[in-house]
Amino acid sequence: MSFLTYLINGLSLGSIYAIIALGYTMVYGIAKMLNFAHGDFIMVGCYIIFSVSGAIGGGSTMGVILSVILSVVLCSLLGITTEFIAYRPLRGAASPLAVLITAIGVSYLLENVALLIFGADVKSFSSVITWQGLSFADGQLRIQGVTIVTIVVSLVILICLQLFINKTKQGQAMLAVAEDKGAATLMGINVNKTIMLTFAIGSALAAVAGALLCSAYPNLSPYVGAMPGIKAFVAAVLGGIGSIPGAMIGGLVLGIVEILSKTYISSQLSDAIVFGILVIVLIVKPTGILGKVIQEKV
Amino acid sequence: MEPILEVNDLSVYYGVIQALKGISFKVNKGEVVALIGANGAGKTTTLHTLSGLIKADTGLIKYKGEEITKIPGHKIVSMGMAQVPEGRRVFAEMTVFQNLKMGAYTRDNSAEFQETLEKIYTRFPRLKERSSQLAGTLSGGEQQMLAMGRALMSHPEIILMDEPSMGLSPIFVNEIFNIIEDVNKDGVTVLLVEQNAKKALSIANRAYVLETGSIVKEGNAADLLNDEAIKKAYLGE
């Protein structure tokens, strides 16, 4: 029974990584850049929820919903603004490193602004999910509400994203931009607008991930997004960067491995094991689990 | 004849290198105009500037009497100017059908879409057979047909074709040129960029010869085919 509990906890943590990784992978796939500030969008989202629910006296369902919605909206705007100010001017720069370094700069900027506003002390985040969860087999197997909600939310997000990309005109335009910006322009697609939309969606997902992450692990600090951000990046690479189902699978694998190795092997070594798996996968299959091998026929 | 496209003193720089040195030409409605020249002469740069993928540094582009020099690339296609780019550039990870749908991105009428799609499937039966196949798995000739079909989906008045014969077997080259003639007969004006000067001149009404960013010769295609200097430089005779 306890194994099952750990597995479900791993699935839940993995779902959070997956939601973050979806944002990473979409931005990479479409804008062809690694947004290393992505993890810090999570942190911003958490502080927004923390402040809003603090201001309106939290606890009430309406307050929680309002704070999460506000967090999603503001994070989207933050993503769009960051892209417009910091990344767009560097698109087409001689070296792809320029935008990468800028992203790291944005990451430090966000962390330090949060440090200035909220201070370095760890804040206690009150969970946005008040449901206690379910209990099975006479209480031997207990699953927390936040765990269930996290898994369900990530599944819903995955399905919605797949539908959006495969069934809508905007989604198809994203795929076209991902493949060839020039050819997409020739079709009449506004590449800048498409990339902006991608950032908006990716950042909104970061806000959702933040709400779930801080509900499960309620310690809020300016660096709360840094490690999950890196783990999610690993998850995206593991699954095959640019691939949406890949990000989901990578995230779940990572979360389960992390929790199980923490439980059964060593809690100190768990990160080493997680990153070790990445190294092995990349040696065996450099494109990641679902990565595309680019096939060209002339 | 009224010009559908007029280019005046167009210059484009890549950094300090001047790719186009003030070229001027025009395309009349209903014509097939060929732009011939060697590698690096500026043919692709010309087409990319017309389509708004590259910004002109100086000069003027007029389309149907309206200046379009500063109009962003994604707005050009809905004005009726489509391009079949060099190297085809189909969306390899999308199906043939999805590629054609992308071609109609600026058209919002589903009845019109079905009708155009049928027309294109009739013109390119191979695309119909392979409609659910990924474009990246098509042969070069089929990809060229797809790229043309995709451009035609936008209902262009003028179509810019960049090296449609590149890398194709002689049979496909003939087929592609037949299709270009057919498309033109249907009333679409064609601006054709080609290294295969002989083929291009054989279907064109008029032609311009581009050399290192300047137009060095222009005239009726038939005259250019018999021009001694052109024969030597471009026709391998």
Side-chain angles (χ1 to χ4, degrees):
Chain A
M1 275 306 173
S2 60
F3 174 76
L4 207 56
T5 314
Y6 296 132
L7 194 66
I8 290 167
N9 286 341
L11 211 57
S12 169
L13 179 63
S15 299
I16 295 175
Y17 289 155
I19 298 172
I20 309 169
L22 285 173
Y24 251 117
T25 222
M26 279 182 75
V27 166
Y28 176 81
I30 290 144
K32 292 288 176 286
M33 71 159 289
L34 290 169
N35 179 18
F36 275 122
H38 190 67
D40 298 293
F41 290 1
I42 299 170
M43 176 270 295
V44 172
C46 289
Y47 274 111
I48 292 170
I49 296 175
F50 178 79
S51 309
V52 173
S53 56
I56 56 176
S60 70
T61 315
M62 269 316 288
V64 165
I65 292 172
L66 195 73
S67 66
V68 172
I69 290 175
L70 207 63
S71 164
V72 167
V73 171
L74 290 177
C75 274
S76 282
L77 289 177
L78 177 68
I80 291 173
T81 314
T82 308
E83 193 271 329
F84 187 75
I85 295 174
Y87 303 152
R88 187 177 298 185
L90 292 170
R91 216 180 289 150
S95 162
L97 278 180
V99 71
L100 196 73
I101 292 165
T102 307
I104 295 171
V106 171
S107 163
Y108 279 113
L109 177 73
L110 292 176
E111 283 173 14
N112 284 290
V113 168
L115 204 58
L116 266 178
I117 300 175
F118 298 98
D121 56 317
V122 174
K123 304 264 192 296
S124 171
F125 187 92
S126 48
S127 175
V128 295
I129 295 138
T130 45
W131 179 39
Q132 285 306 306
L134 299 170
S135 182
F136 299 99
D138 294 331
Q140 283 186 56
L141 178 64
R142 285 190 45 91
I143 308 172
Q144 285 185 301
V146 60
T147 308
I148 298 169
V149 171
T150 301
I151 295 170
V152 171
V153 165
S154 71
L155 276 178
V156 170
I157 287 175
L158 179 72
I159 293 166
C160 289
L161 268 186
Q162 287 287 42
L163 286 177
F164 172 73
I165 287 186
N166 293 316
K167 300 287 174 208
T168 70
K169 205 170 163 179
Q170 275 304 319
Q172 292 284 296
M174 278 185 177
L175 288 182
V177 172
E179 252 198 72
D180 188 334
K181 292 189 183 66
T185 306
L186 290 179
M187 302 299 109
I189 295 166
N190 186 336
V191 171
N192 280 335
K193 247 191 195 159
T194 308
I195 290 178
M196 189 184 253
L197 178 66
T198 310
F199 267 87
I201 294 175
S203 311
L205 292 181
V208 173
L212 296 167
L213 183 75
C214 283
S215 296
Y217 306 89
N219 297 323
L220 179 54
S221 82
Y223 309 107
V224 74
M227 199 57 181
I230 290 174
K231 295 258 181 74
F233 171 59
V234 170
V237 174
L238 190 69
I241 189 127
S243 156
I244 284 175
M248 193 73 190
I249 292 172
L252 293 179
V253 168
L254 214 67
I256 291 169
V257 169
E258 183 176 331
I259 295 283
L260 292 186
S261 55
K262 249 181 197 156
T263 312
Y264 294 107
I265 304 172
S266 153
S267 59
Q268 277 140 340
L269 280 180
S270 75
D271 282 351
I273 293 168
V274 163
F275 290 112
I277 284 180
L278 173 75
V279 173
I280 293 166
V281 168
L282 287 186
I283 290 171
V284 179
K285 199 167 181 297
T287 51
I289 299 169
L290 292 186
K292 300 161 197 152
V293 183
I294 295 154
Q295 45 176 329
E296 268 176 38
K297 211 172 166 186
V298 185
Chain B
M1 269 195 283
E2 55 175 315
I4 184 167
L5 189 66
E6 273 181 286
V7 173
N8 238 314
D9 200 23
L10 185 69
S11 287
V12 172
Y13 289 83
Y14 292 125
V16 291
I17 299 161
Q18 191 172 8
L20 292 181
K21 300 169 183 164
I23 63 168
S24 301
F25 65 92
K26 64 176 186 182
V27 180
N28 294 319
K29 210 166 162 42
E31 274 187 314
V32 175
V33 171
L35 197 59
I36 60 175
N39 250 337
K43 305 185 303 284
T44 297
T45 303
T46 306
L47 292 198
H48 278 191
T49 313
L50 294 178
S51 283
L53 295 182
I54 299 175
K55 283 202 172 65
D57 287 290
T58 58
L60 213 71
I61 303 167
K62 266 181 157 180
Y63 171 71
K64 294 202 282 187
E66 189 187 337
E67 196 199 328
I68 59 160
T69 324
K70 299 253 172 339
I71 289 183
H74 65 270
K75 288 190 179 150
I76 298 283
V77 65
S78 54
M79 300 176 79
M81 177 151 59
Q83 185 183 146
V84 182
E86 184 182 7
R88 308 177 274 270
R89 290 169 77 170
V90 295
F91 299 112
E93 284 164 38
M94 292 188 189
T95 64
V96 168
F97 173 73
Q98 283 172 321
N99 267 276
L100 292 173
K101 218 169 164 185
M102 276 293 121
Y105 186 79
T106 54
R107 318 287 298 189
D108 270 328
N109 183 332
S110 67
E112 178 204 86
F113 172 80
Q114 275 309 329
E115 198 182 307
T116 319
L117 188 69
E118 282 313 314
K119 257 194 203 158
I120 281 164
Y121 279 159
T122 319
R123 182 166 267 147
F124 307 98
R126 232 183 261 251
L127 295 184
K128 188 173 189 178
E129 284 164 35
R130 315 210 153 182
S131 64
S132 58
Q133 201 173 317
L134 289 183
T137 64
L138 299 179
S139 75
E142 290 163 347
Q143 287 190 5
Q144 186 63 49
M145 291 178 179
L146 178 57
M148 287 169 127
R150 187 178 65 175
L152 289 171
M153 287 299 293
S154 68
H155 283 239
E157 289 177 57
I158 179 168
I159 193 161
L160 317 176
M161 300 217 189
D162 199 348
E163 304 274 6
S165 75
M166 194 170 65
L168 301 185
S169 67
I171 295 173
F172 260 128
V173 171
N174 286 335
E175 203 171 333
I176 293 290
F177 276 94
N178 286 340
I179 292 165
I180 296 173
E181 283 190 297
D182 279 355
V183 167
N184 179 246
K185 273 186 203 126
D186 284 354
V188 182
T189 309
V190 176
L191 176 59
L192 174 65
V193 155
E194 260 298 339
Q195 278 195 63
N196 189 339
K198 203 176 205 168
K199 269 279 165 201
L201 291 176
S202 70
I203 66 162
N205 303 106
R206 293 185 306 114
Y208 294 85
V209 181
L210 201 58
E211 242 169 52
T212 55
S214 304
I215 286 174
V216 294
K217 203 161 241 172
E218 60 176 283
N220 286 328
D223 297 342
L224 289 175
L225 261 176
N226 294 316
D227 184 297
E228 286 305 321
I230 297 289
K231 271 186 180 172
K232 249 197 185 127
Y234 298 104
L235 303 176
E237 282 172 26

